[in-house]
Short mmCIF file of all heavy atoms in Angstrom, two decimals:
data_model
loop_
_atom_site.label_atom_id
_atom_site.label_comp_id
_atom_site.label_asym_id
_atom_site.label_seq_id
_atom_site.Cartn_x
_atom_site.Cartn_y
_atom_site.Cartn_z
N HIS A 239 -212.32 -132.29 73.62
CA HIS A 239 -212.78 -132.48 72.25
C HIS A 239 -211.83 -131.83 71.25
O HIS A 239 -211.66 -132.33 70.11
CB HIS A 239 -214.20 -131.91 72.07
CG HIS A 239 -214.34 -130.47 72.42
ND1 HIS A 239 -214.13 -130.00 73.70
CD2 HIS A 239 -214.66 -129.41 71.65
CE1 HIS A 239 -214.35 -128.68 73.72
NE2 HIS A 239 -214.65 -128.30 72.46
N ALA A 250 -204.62 -138.46 60.63
CA ALA A 250 -205.18 -138.48 59.28
C ALA A 250 -204.17 -137.96 58.26
O ALA A 250 -204.25 -138.29 57.09
CB ALA A 250 -206.46 -137.64 59.25
N HIS A 272 -206.56 -128.21 86.98
CA HIS A 272 -206.49 -126.77 87.24
C HIS A 272 -207.80 -126.07 86.98
O HIS A 272 -207.89 -124.84 87.10
CB HIS A 272 -205.38 -126.15 86.41
CG HIS A 272 -203.98 -126.47 86.89
ND1 HIS A 272 -203.40 -127.70 86.70
CD2 HIS A 272 -203.08 -125.71 87.60
CE1 HIS A 272 -202.17 -127.68 87.23
NE2 HIS A 272 -201.96 -126.50 87.78
N ASP A 292 -187.91 -131.81 88.00
CA ASP A 292 -186.64 -132.27 88.56
C ASP A 292 -186.23 -133.64 88.01
O ASP A 292 -185.05 -133.95 87.95
CB ASP A 292 -186.74 -132.36 90.08
CG ASP A 292 -186.93 -130.98 90.72
OD1 ASP A 292 -186.51 -129.98 90.09
OD2 ASP A 292 -187.46 -130.93 91.84
N ILE A 400 -187.90 -157.65 56.22
CA ILE A 400 -188.72 -156.97 57.23
C ILE A 400 -189.16 -155.65 56.66
O ILE A 400 -188.34 -154.87 56.15
CB ILE A 400 -187.90 -156.73 58.53
CG1 ILE A 400 -187.51 -158.04 59.21
CG2 ILE A 400 -188.72 -155.91 59.52
CD1 ILE A 400 -186.63 -157.86 60.42
N THR A 473 -164.85 -147.29 79.54
CA THR A 473 -164.93 -146.74 78.19
C THR A 473 -165.06 -145.23 78.25
O THR A 473 -165.55 -144.69 79.26
CB THR A 473 -166.11 -147.35 77.43
OG1 THR A 473 -167.32 -147.11 78.17
CG2 THR A 473 -165.93 -148.84 77.23
N GLN A 497 -162.57 -154.14 51.23
CA GLN A 497 -162.91 -154.80 49.99
C GLN A 497 -162.64 -153.90 48.76
O GLN A 497 -162.83 -154.33 47.61
CB GLN A 497 -164.37 -155.24 49.99
CG GLN A 497 -164.68 -156.33 51.00
CD GLN A 497 -166.17 -156.66 51.07
OE1 GLN A 497 -167.01 -155.87 50.68
NE2 GLN A 497 -166.47 -157.85 51.58
N SER A 518 -176.12 -136.49 55.59
CA SER A 518 -175.61 -135.94 56.84
C SER A 518 -176.15 -136.66 58.04
O SER A 518 -175.50 -136.82 59.07
CB SER A 518 -175.97 -134.44 56.94
OG SER A 518 -177.37 -134.26 56.94
#
Side-chain angles (χ1 to χ4, degrees):
H239 57 296
H272 286 75
D292 295 335
I400 296 176
T473 55
Q497 294 175 338
S518 60

